[in-house]
Amino acid sequence: KQEVTQIPAALSVPEGENLVLNCSFTDSAIYNLQWFRQDPGKGLTSLLLIQSSQREQTSGRLNASLDKSSGRSTLYIAASQPGDSATYLCAVNNAGNMLTFGGGTRLMVKP
Amino acid sequence: EAQVTQNPRYLITVTGKKLTVTCSQNMNHEYMSWYRQDPGLGLRQIYYSMNVEVTDKGDVPEGYKVSRKEKRNFPLILESPSPNQTSLYFCASSLLQGDEQYFGPGTRLTVT
């Protein structure tokens, strides 16, 4: 059964720092991997989707990479801003029917 | 605006009183699913549907029912809610199975 782990569970950084969030998964036979953002009490906003055949995807200040063979993905956030404060969730799609989520990284960017 | 909507957003009910949480999407997506989010357990899938009249169980289907009579709607039914179903529920949809999933705003359910 797929297991997804996110490290660290919480992170606090000063504004302007570049940072990396980590996601690891146990079963490398994946369809794709999706990164989400969740604000307190709110829904999930899709940030980036990486197909199993891709190595990375970029959107603005966000860059996500995927290394299927080692079961790892990273989300790189450049020049962090207070508005980036949220919980970031990594989700792996195996059989195409279900997303398996990690526990999330709670990010706080201090002004 | 392309979106997934859920109603109600907040609901407090009592044990055993049947309830339905509605989910609707306006993107002509074939695939829809329901998740619940609990502290320490993360998000887990309850049921999914690959198209009209095609539904299947996810990881935690016990105590829930679903139906998919129209492409745009995928209601979640709790026939006899219990306190352990107190949770934050999310509906999601994607164009096809395996595509990028879009989530609704969530329904916070409390069962007393």
Side-chain angles (χ1 to χ4, degrees), chain A residues 1 31-32 34 36 38 41-44 46 49 51 89 93 95-99 101, chain B residues 9 31 35 37 43 45 48 50 58-59 88 90 97-101 103-105 108:
Chain A
K1 183 181 176 182
Y31 252 48
N32 54 50
Q34 200 166 347
F36 294 89
Q38 185 176 25
K42 300 287 180 65
L44 280 68
S46 179
L49 173 75
Q51 300 292 352
L89 294 161
N93 190 327
N97 297 331
M98 180 173 71
L99 290 177
F101 283 85
Chain B
R9 295 289 315 280
Y31 180 85
Y35 294 83
Q37 185 176 32
L43 279 133
Q45 192 184 54
Y48 66 92
M50 289 191 279
D59 254 0
L88 181 57
F90 290 103
Q97 176 185 348
D99 284 344
E100 183 174 10
Q101 291 198 30
F103 280 70
R108 186 167 292 283

Side-chain angles (χ1 to χ4, degrees), chain A residues 10-41:
Chain A
L11 183 61
S12 180
V13 300
E15 181 176 5
E17 270 204 11
N18 302 323
L19 54 100
V20 175
L21 308 182
N22 296 293
C23 171
S24 62
F25 47 94
T26 54
D27 183 353
S28 62
I30 67 170
Y31 252 48
N32 54 50
L33 184 146
Q34 200 166 347
W35 282 94
F36 294 89
R37 167 187 174 137
Q38 185 176 25
D39 293 283

Side-chain angles (χ1 to χ4, degrees), chain B residues 47-62:
Chain B
Y47 268 96
Y48 66 92
S49 168
M50 289 191 279
N51 214 324
V52 175
E53 303 292 4
V54 181
T55 64
D56 207 347
K57 297 176 181 178
D59 254 0
V60 288
E62 295 78 21

Side-chain angles (χ1 to χ4, degrees), chain B residues 20-91:
Chain B
T20 298
V21 183
T22 65
C23 172
S24 183
Q25 50 89 8
N26 61 1
M27 296 171 279
N28 202 36
H29 284 175
E30 289 192 358
Y31 180 85
M32 298 183 74
S33 62
W34 277 101
Y35 294 83
R36 61 178 288 175
Q37 185 176 32
D38 302 287
L41 296 175
L43 279 133
R44 295 174 294 168
Q45 192 184 54
I46 304 170
Y47 268 96
Y48 66 92
S49 168
M50 289 191 279
N51 214 324
V52 175
E53 303 292 4
V54 181
T55 64
D56 207 347
K57 297 176 181 178
D59 254 0
V60 288
E62 295 78 21
Y64 304 95
K65 284 176 56 176
V66 293
S67 69
R68 187 95 181 270
K69 298 190 188 313
E70 306 167 279
K71 198 171 188 177
R72 63 184 292 128
N73 296 323
F74 190 44
L76 179 69
I77 303 156
L78 285 72
E79 294 270 3
S80 182
S82 62
N84 65 12
Q85 292 179 297
T86 292
S87 187
L88 181 57
Y89 290 87
F90 290 103
C91 179

Side-chain angles (χ1 to χ4, degrees), chain A residues 1-98:
Chain A
K1 183 181 176 182
Q2 179 73 270
E3 293 181 6
V4 181
T5 303
Q6 290 187 246
I7 294 173
L11 183 61
S12 180
V13 300
E15 181 176 5
E17 270 204 11
N18 302 323
L19 54 100
V20 175
L21 308 182
N22 296 293
C23 171
S24 62
F25 47 94
T26 54
D27 183 353
S28 62
I30 67 170
Y31 252 48
N32 54 50
L33 184 146
Q34 200 166 347
W35 282 94
F36 294 89
R37 167 187 174 137
Q38 185 176 25
D39 293 283
K42 300 287 180 65
L44 280 68
T45 301
S46 179
L47 298 173
L48 290 163
L49 173 75
I50 311 179
Q51 300 292 352
S52 62
S53 58
Q54 296 175 319
R55 295 299 298 267
E56 65 179 285
Q57 280 284 356
T58 298
S59 175
R61 293 183 294 109
L62 304 179
N63 176 278
S65 67
L66 174 64
D67 183 342
K68 252 187 16 169
S69 60
S70 66
R72 294 179 189 276
S73 176
T74 61
L75 179 66
Y76 175 83
I77 303 177
S80 59
Q81 303 170 357
D84 294 330
S85 298
T87 296
Y88 290 81
L89 294 161
C90 160
V92 172
N93 190 327
N94 271 99
N97 297 331
M98 180 173 71

Side-chain angles (χ1 to χ4, degrees), chain B residues 2-22:
Chain B
Q3 59 184 348
V4 179
T5 57
Q6 296 179 225
N7 281 292
R9 295 289 315 280
Y10 303 91
L11 179 60
I12 300 173
T13 190
V14 296
T15 299
K17 186 176 180 182
K18 180 180 178 179
L19 66 93
T20 298
V21 183
T22 65

